[in-house]
Amino acid sequence: RPGLIDFGQVKRLSPEQRLCLAQLILALADRDDAAAVRAFQNMGFRSRDMSPAVALRLSRLMYDHEGELKGQRPSAFLRQLGQVDAIQRFPLEYVMAARVSLLL
């Protein structure tokens, strides 16, 4: 029997994008906060004040998420971060990887 595969949720990252994402994941795994912030910024993340704390918390939510929500809904967490330092840019290229990470 033939089957259909839905490729609507597929994203292809360039070698440079994969390297940036890998550097972020390794920094988060090593609990190297400074390297995680640098990697997240190298991926294209931008906020009004470029707060390292906001970049770190958002990168942890999206790619590590261990305890970051503390019982909050993700939307409430993002609003709270936005009040501290308004998020101006998160590259869409990395959204699919974040979705996969949140499922794991």
Side-chain angles (χ1 to χ4, degrees), residues 36-37 40-41 45 47 50-60:
V37 169
F40 202 48
Q41 291 171 346
F45 169 78
S47 62
M50 293 300 286
S51 164
V54 167
L56 182 61
R57 292 191 70 201
L58 185 58
S59 67
R60 282 184 181 158

Side-chain angles (χ1 to χ4, degrees), residues 1-6:
R1 289 178 75 172
L4 295 176
I5 299 175
D6 179 5

Side-chain angles (χ1 to χ4, degrees), residues 8-100:
Q9 294 289 310
V10 174
K11 180 64 183 161
R12 192 173 300 251
L13 297 176
S14 71
E16 181 181 305
Q17 290 168 326
R18 289 193 304 255
L19 179 61
C20 286
L21 182 57
Q23 289 170 336
L24 174 62
I25 291 170
L26 288 172
L28 291 169
D30 290 342
R31 298 291 182 224
D32 185 342
D33 294 351
V37 169
R38 274 193 311 277
F40 202 48
Q41 291 171 346
N42 288 342
M43 290 167 62
F45 169 78
R46 297 291 178 267
S47 62
R48 181 189 60 230
D49 302 325
M50 293 300 286
S51 164
V54 167
L56 182 61
R57 292 191 70 201
L58 185 58
S59 67
R60 282 184 181 158
L61 169 69
M62 300 187 86
Y63 299 104
D64 189 17
H65 62 84
E66 186 176 313
E68 202 55 41
L69 289 176
K70 298 181 176 95
Q72 286 182 310
R73 300 180 105 187
S75 58
F77 179 85
L78 291 172
R79 261 193 314 278
Q80 178 187 18
L81 283 183
Q83 290 171 352
V84 174
D85 184 9
I87 298 165
Q88 296 180 328
R89 182 172 188 272
F90 182 81
L92 296 178
E93 297 85 5
Y94 296 103
V95 169
M96 185 60 63
R99 286 181 178 174
V100 170

